[in-house]
Amino acid sequence: MANTSDTILTVENMSVEFPTLSGVTTAVRDVSFTVGREKIGIIGESGSGKSTTGRAIMRLQPPQAIVKANRMQFEDIDLMAASEEEMRSIRGRRIAMILQDPKYSLNPVMTVGEQISETVILHERATPQEARSRTLAMLERVNIRDPQRVFDLYPHEVSGGMGQRIMISMMLIAQPSLIIADEPTSALDVTVRQQVLSILDDLVVERNIGLIFISHDLNLVRSFCDRVIIMYAGRVVETIAAADLDQAQHPYTRGLLNALPSLDHPKDRLEVLRRDPAWLEN
Amino acid sequence: MSMIKAHHLAVSYGHGETALKVVKDVSFEVEKGETFGLVGESGCGKSTILGALAGRNKQWTGTIEIDGETIGQKRTRAQLAKQQLVFQDPFGSIHPRHTIGRTLLEPLEIHGKDRRQERIEKVLTDVGLPLNFRYRYPHQLSGGQRQRVAIARALILEPKILLLDEPTSALDVSIQAEILNLLKDLRQREQLTYILVSHDLAVVAHLCDRVAIMQSGGFVEVATRQQLLENTVEHPYTRILMDGSRGYVSEKRNSRREALPA
Amino acid sequence: MAKSGTFSNLHEWLISEEFTSSRQARLHNIYLAWLSLLANPLAFAGFAVVLLLVIVAALAPVIAIHDPFTQDFAIALQAPSAGHWFGTDEFGRDVFSRLIYGARTTLYITILVTVIVAPIGFVIGATSGYLGGWVDVVLMRITDIFLSFPSLVLALAFSAALGPGIENAVIAIALTVWPPIARLARAETLTFRHADFVIAAELQGAGVGRILLRHIVPLCAPSIIVRLTLNMSSIILTAAGLGFLGLGAQPPMAEWGAMAASGRQYLLDAWWLTTVPGIAILTVSLAFNLLGDGLRDIMDPRNG
Ligand SMILES: Nc1ncnc2c1ncn2[C@@H]1O[C@H](COP(=O)(O)OP(=O)(O)OP(=O)(O)O)[C@@H](O)[C@H]1O
Ligand SMILES: Nc1ncnc2c1ncn2[C@@H]1O[C@H](COP(=O)(O)OP(=O)(O)OP(=O)(O)O)[C@@H](O)[C@H]1O
Ligand SMILES: [Mg+2]
Ligand SMILES: [Mg+2]
């Protein structure tokens, strides 16, 4: 497992609270984990706090959110103490985030080519001409077949998979040391997903960086990640080596595994998760 | 009798020089009560086929027959009501500023239906949502609940066909299980015909009787559920898809490009 | 919180998300907007001033201590005193009373302009964005032509052509205000044009009118309302400018701009004639601006 020098991110007892009119919602409660130069998966059902965890690391949560932690250390930076200005220089450059839905992250009234070029110009201070050729190269790098055509498309004209790869190409331009990918492949078919994951896999190995991979696809996390954090109602219920996921003991993890339709063990009706209040203790 | 017949269906986008033929000559028939799957890589034209069947994409050639009726490029209201689309993204497919009741009322108003409140209550019950949800706004609902609303909106006009465009891919596994069970129940109760687009062959095998595997706008194979379960599919591309459904297959970097379809 | 039982019950009922009727759902949203207005002091100050303007205009005959039109040269140009709080003008009319009645004129102009401009701007912009193609090109070219003139110059030209008078001033101002609204409506419509819920409605047979009114209006309304509120100050200033140049409200009607203009000759002897309506114009413009800024935070769907 990751030794200290390899640790990129340490999070100790992080909680995220949202004050609302009807009381305080605790979206994340006392979560601790470390990320080394590895692929670490976060799984859990919708609303379990996966994205909130990712956003809290980036300090991207809405202003009313309250983040508490004993420690949040990213390389040489104390994320709890960093100023907003420091965070801005970290975001996108040193920690990159790929968001759940590319369609909402892309500007609907600008072509995708223009948007990538903008990133190139911002990060590499390139001229518009250079930016265009860099952009086409980036699109090719993420296996988009016809970059010239895609360059001039608007976000609603690209398929879900293309949108996601466009987001990844924007991220590749800045060379981050930690990538937080929030369900980057949920809109993709298996072949493209394979490609996208290979791109991420290569990145982690080549540049020796860390990846937090948020997903609700158990099969994927099991086969792609090194370690898995399982979240339920804002808590970490279990952290387990990905290869051992099938031997997971926690009934919640087992419930998620059983809800999956499977080619190898077809069943007529799928099992639905039965939540146990006891999971909320500890 | 076939519920859906598509013969030499071709669909394109754009006009003149920039026109792009996205679906190239596909033919298929779906029986009443059958569920037909469409799988294939991103951008191969699955949503486009659904769009052509639903009346969203009007630039198509070939023939489409729905419920014994040949469909033209322009449709009547009654023809539009015969089939309804359920979108992939439950967050973008419901109007954010309408209450659920409003969303469900809308199609009834368009089609001048009677007994509106009664129909809304029935359809909410059908999809397993409490009746007082009709006063809620979408932001107060979870993804799975929203997808139920989207299904309710599609069902309220009592269509014969549901066109399901990746209805569970934005949902987590436990909610996916609920929605898949719901779709199975509804199919049986209302004798619906489905076309299901999904990228997960396990989901397809769970719900579909037959599945067409698509690549760049055409069918490469139409496999039966049996073939999927027994792993006797013919086309190598189908096999790649089946492996993919089991998870990530790590490949050595050099062999990556060969292993994937051109 | 020292709320009585019924009030806190009402509060609970409004705040609860367990709605039992669509009326409750609507009231809930209005109540939440109200709470966030309360939480924003500047916006609330703007709101309070605007509310005051409305009350003053409605109750003008009660509040005004003198008749605003009665001339009495014996008391012309008197400085502020207990009998005439803001002094008298060159015809011996009470400035305070004229100011109060002037609120009516101001409100009349802003409301009328808004009522004319909001639907026109929305329909042109949203149609243009929704239908696209040549409709878009034609409508946006027309909009551009209007936009290419400075708005005060355009308003001047129109009201000079239409002749003096308050209705003509309203039309002239409206002609200059709609193009930015149309642009905004078009831009907003474009972002929702391809949304799945719009397509779902199309596939259920909804026509263009229904989609624009039922689907696009609720989404564009917040930003258009915000924009209009922010525009109020420029409407008031333009109206005052036209009044000042003698093209807006005609004497003896009380209008702040015209009041300031006529007081100009006596600036050194009777400072109150220009200062008082000037301050009124400034205060109300500022209030509308603050309110607009606050509304942007409250109503913009992208903020929550
Ligand atoms: N701005 C906010 N205000 C109030 N509550 C919030 C806010 N953002 C998130 N939450 C709450 O925090 C919890 C966790 O949300 P989060 O988005 O992290 O879930 P998730 O695990 O990423 O789910 P999904 O799989 O659907 O993406 C949810 O219960 C949500 O309602
Ligand atoms: N409105 C449009 N204008 C132009 N081209 C379009 C439009 N919509 C889709 N396309 C193109 O048509 C092709 C097929 O798109 P479609 O949405 O049918 O793919 P898909 O099979 O559903 O993919 P995914 O699995 O990613 O949803 C893509 O190359 C896409 O870029
Ligand atoms: Mg999330
Ligand atoms: Mg699609």
Side-chain angles (χ1 to χ4, degrees):
Chain A
M1 208 87 323
N3 65 43
T4 1
S5 64
D6 271 345
T7 304
I8 298 174
L9 178 77
T10 309
V11 174
E12 269 173 33
N13 290 329
M14 180 177 78
S15 298
V16 182
E17 292 170 356
F18 294 102
T20 65
L21 285 170
S22 41
V24 175
T25 323
T26 307
V28 174
R29 191 184 299 258
D30 287 337
V31 166
S32 305
F33 59 92
T34 59
V35 184
R37 303 185 187 281
E38 61 180 336
K39 294 167 290 199
I40 186 152
I42 302 184
I43 59 175
E45 62 188 327
S46 186
S48 55
K50 308 182 295 291
S51 302
T52 305
T53 304
R55 278 199 300 269
I57 295 167
M58 293 284 271
R59 288 247 310 261
L60 272 178
Q61 62 286 111
Q64 78 272 19
I66 303 164
V67 181
K68 293 180 201 149
N70 292 359
R71 198 157 91 97
M72 273 171 80
Q73 183 82 23
F74 166 69
E75 295 186 326
D76 52 337
I77 291 153
D78 179 358
L79 292 177
M80 297 294 291
S83 69
E84 188 47 39
E85 207 171 316
E86 280 175 89
M87 284 314 295
R88 250 192 308 256
S89 73
I90 292 170
R91 275 183 219 129
R93 280 168 214 260
R94 297 182 60 185
I95 310 181
M97 189 151 187
I98 310 174
L99 289 170
Q100 203 156 356
D101 196 327
K103 290 236 162 104
Y104 292 125
S105 318
L106 293 169
N107 180 346
V109 293
M110 239 171 117
T111 67
V112 297
E114 285 166 5
Q115 298 185 50
I116 304 176
S117 302
E118 220 172 55
T119 316
V120 174
I121 292 170
L122 191 75
H123 280 280
E124 301 180 356
R125 299 200 171 73
T127 64
Q129 288 84 349
E130 287 165 6
R132 188 184 165 92
S133 61
R134 276 284 284 152
T135 300
L136 292 174
M138 279 340 281
L139 287 174
E140 222 159 75
R141 172 84 170 82
V142 292
N143 297 342
I144 283 178
R145 300 248 177 82
D146 191 354
Q148 298 280 357
R149 181 176 75 88
V150 174
F151 191 96
D152 294 317
L153 293 182
Y154 286 91
H156 74 267
E157 294 174 329
V158 302
S159 66
M162 282 183 181
Q164 201 54 279
R165 282 180 285 172
I166 287 159
M167 290 298 294
I168 292 181
S169 71
M170 288 166 84
M171 188 206 71
L172 287 175
I173 291 162
Q175 308 194 339
S177 53
L178 177 66
I179 300 173
I180 301 173
D182 191 349
E183 310 202 19
T185 60
S186 54
L188 309 186
D189 70 276
V190 288
T191 44
V192 182
R193 183 172 80 188
Q194 192 78 15
Q195 296 173 358
V196 168
L197 291 179
S198 295
I199 296 169
L200 289 175
D201 200 4
D202 291 353
L203 262 175
V204 172
V205 175
E206 266 170 34
R207 298 190 184 161
N208 198 23
I209 60 177
L211 170 68
I212 298 179
F213 186 81
I214 298 172
S215 173
H216 53 241
D217 188 331
L218 287 116
N219 283 327
L220 200 61
V221 170
R222 170 171 33 204
S223 49
F224 178 69
C225 295
D226 303 315
R227 277 194 305 145
V228 191
I229 296 169
I230 295 130
M231 287 187 74
Y232 175 70
R235 298 153 172 84
V236 173
V237 295
E238 199 167 16
T239 303
I240 194 169
D244 300 334
L245 191 61
D246 283 327
Q247 279 84 54
Q249 290 309 312
H250 199 282
Y252 174 63
T253 318
R254 295 236 55 88
L256 290 181
L257 287 167
N258 289 335
L260 279 178
S262 153
L263 279 171
D264 306 316
H265 312 282
K267 42 193 160 189
D268 188 41
R269 288 190 74 78
L270 298 168
E271 267 177 55
V272 193
L273 202 62
R274 266 179 213 79
R275 289 165 180 78
D276 185 344
W279 300 345
L280 294 179
E281 286 149 27
N282 72 43
Chain B
M1 189 193 76
S2 299
M3 191 51 114
I4 305 170
K5 268 190 205 170
H7 274 280
H8 303 294
L9 179 65
V11 195
S12 50
Y13 287 108
H15 297 272
E17 280 182 21
T18 54
L20 179 73
K21 203 168 183 179
V22 169
V23 174
K24 300 152 190 157
D25 192 32
V26 298
S27 301
F28 58 92
E29 292 188 12
V30 187
E31 297 300 314
K32 188 169 169 38
E34 192 186 3
T35 298
F36 187 70
L38 288 177
V39 296
E41 63 187 331
S42 181
C44 72
K46 306 179 294 289
S47 301
T48 307
I49 291 184
L50 290 195
L53 293 175
R56 174 182 185 174
N57 300 335
K58 300 187 177 69
Q59 276 177 272
W60 52 266
T61 57
T63 50
I64 297 179
E65 223 176 86
I66 285 171
D67 199 17
E69 196 180 356
T70 306
I71 298 292
Q73 254 73 2
K74 261 195 107 51
R75 298 190 197 209
T76 63
R77 292 231 163 102
Q79 286 174 332
L80 282 171
K82 281 247 168 87
Q83 69 286 306
Q84 287 295 311
L85 200 54
V86 175
F87 296 83
Q88 167 179 1
D89 175 14
F91 294 87
S93 67
I94 305 173
H95 198 290
R97 304 235 142 192
H98 288 172
T99 58
I100 304 311
R102 184 64 273 202
T103 295
L104 295 178
L105 186 65
E106 171 106 357
L108 298 176
E109 281 179 1
I110 296 172
H111 289 262
K113 299 271 181 174
D114 56 350
R115 297 182 292 116
R116 294 180 181 169
Q117 294 310 317
E118 204 178 307
R119 285 175 197 263
I120 290 176
E121 285 172 16
K122 176 180 183 301
V123 83
L124 281 172
T125 317
D126 280 349
V127 298
L129 288 177
L131 292 186
N132 67 357
F133 265 45
R134 77 175 100 164
Y135 307 120
R136 294 205 176 193
Y137 285 90
H139 71 262
Q140 298 170 316
L141 269 51
S142 71
Q145 289 168 338
R146 288 188 209 206
Q147 199 59 299
R148 283 172 193 265
V149 171
I151 293 174
R153 176 183 55 195
L155 286 176
I156 201 158
L157 289 176
E158 294 169 355
K160 308 218 157 165
I161 300 163
L162 281 194
L163 304 168
L164 305 157
D165 196 349
E166 311 197 27
T168 60
S169 62
L171 307 175
D172 66 61
V173 287
S174 60
I175 310 297
Q176 163 170 291
E178 289 174 21
I179 297 286
L180 291 179
N181 287 343
L182 171 70
L183 287 172
K184 258 195 173 175
D185 294 342
L186 286 172
R187 180 175 63 188
Q188 202 171 15
R189 201 172 342 138
E190 314 281 331
Q191 281 159 11
L192 290 166
T193 306
Y194 292 161
I195 295 190
L196 172 78
V197 170
S198 175
H199 54 252
D200 188 341
L201 270 181
V203 169
V204 167
H206 181 75
L207 213 58
C208 297
D209 306 295
R210 286 183 305 141
V211 53
I213 291 92
M214 289 186 71
Q215 218 175 347
S216 44
F219 289 174
V220 298
E221 179 176 7
V222 177
T224 63
R225 177 161 187 270
Q226 212 55 32
Q227 279 175 291
L228 289 181
L229 295 180
E230 288 165 4
N231 207 353
T232 55
V233 294
E234 280 153 25
H235 203 276
Y237 180 60
T238 317
R239 214 151 275 131
I240 294 177
L241 290 178
M242 293 194 54
D243 291 339
S245 285
R246 294 194 169 88
Y248 173 67
V249 191
S250 172
E251 291 144 48
K252 284 297 134 263
R253 288 203 282 125
N254 310 339
S255 63
R256 186 172 82 215
R257 270 154 229 269
E258 285 94 313
L260 288 162
Chain C
M1 245 190 264
K3 275 190 184 126
S4 75
T6 43
F7 265 128
S8 67
N9 277 349
L10 184 64
H11 173 81
E12 290 303 320
W13 183 77
L14 283 168
I15 256 191
S16 146
E17 298 205 331
E18 303 294 322
F19 306 138
T20 51
S21 70
S22 47
R23 199 167 57 101
Q24 188 185 2
R26 251 196 316 275
L27 287 175
H28 170 81
N29 282 357
I30 295 172
Y31 188 62
L32 288 195
W34 170 246
L35 287 183
S36 37
L37 185 65
L38 284 182
N40 185 338
L42 279 180
F44 188 75
F47 175 75
V49 171
V50 171
L51 194 67
L52 190 71
L53 180 73
V54 174
I55 293 173
V56 163
L59 301 180
V62 182
I63 299 174
I65 39 181
H66 297 273
D67 183 283
F69 305 118
T70 315
Q71 304 187 357
D72 181 356
F73 288 97
I75 52 164
L77 295 177
Q78 286 191 351
S81 64
H84 299 281
W85 294 347
F86 291 156
T88 58
D89 69 2
E90 68 270 31
F91 299 109
R93 296 173 298 196
D94 179 46
V95 172
F96 175 72
S97 307
R98 286 183 67 73
L99 194 74
I100 299 296
Y101 275 87
R104 286 191 157 182
T105 318
T106 301
L107 208 60
Y108 177 75
I109 292 176
T110 48
I111 290 178
L112 215 56
V113 168
T114 307
V115 166
I116 296 174
V117 153
I120 293 181
F122 172 79
V123 167
I124 290 181
T127 312
S128 177
Y130 181 72
L131 293 180
W134 63 266
V135 178
D136 187 28
V137 173
V138 171
L139 289 178
M140 281 303 118
R141 279 308 141 266
I142 296 173
T143 313
D144 283 344
I145 292 171
F146 277 89
L147 270 177
S148 60
F149 293 99
S151 64
L152 190 63
V153 173
L154 199 62
L156 261 177
F158 277 119
S159 67
L162 294 167
I166 193 157
E167 276 77 20
N168 288 343
V170 165
I171 295 174
I173 297 171
L175 282 169
T176 67
V177 174
W178 73 266
I181 301 291
R183 278 262 165 217
L184 180 70
R186 176 177 178 270
E188 291 277 308
T189 307
L190 279 183
T191 59
F192 301 120
R193 170 72 194 87
H194 298 282
D196 285 347
F197 55 81
V198 172
I199 288 165
E202 287 174 353
L203 291 184
Q204 292 186 316
V208 177
R210 174 177 282 271
I211 293 201
L212 289 183
L213 289 181
R214 294 294 177 83
H215 292 258
I216 307 285
V217 166
L219 291 166
C220 292
S223 50
I224 290 183
I225 290 175
V226 168
R227 184 56 181 266
L228 278 173
T229 317
L230 290 173
N231 264 351
M232 293 290 182
S233 55
S234 77
I235 294 173
I236 292 170
L237 292 173
T238 312
L242 290 179
F244 192 82
L245 295 170
L247 287 168
Q250 292 304 300
M253 192 176 203
E255 201 274 333
W256 295 347
M259 284 166 70
S262 61
R264 205 171 24 146
Q265 303 160 9
Y266 312 99
L267 196 58
L268 293 178
D269 312 318
W271 53 268
W272 56 92
L273 284 188
T274 37
T275 312
V276 168
I279 290 176
I281 293 170
L282 197 73
T283 313
V284 172
S285 313
L286 184 67
F288 270 114
N289 250 329
L290 291 177
L291 180 62
D293 264 339
L295 284 181
R296 180 181 9 234
D297 298 340
I298 295 165
M299 295 177 61
D300 196 328
R302 273 158 297 214
N303 291 335

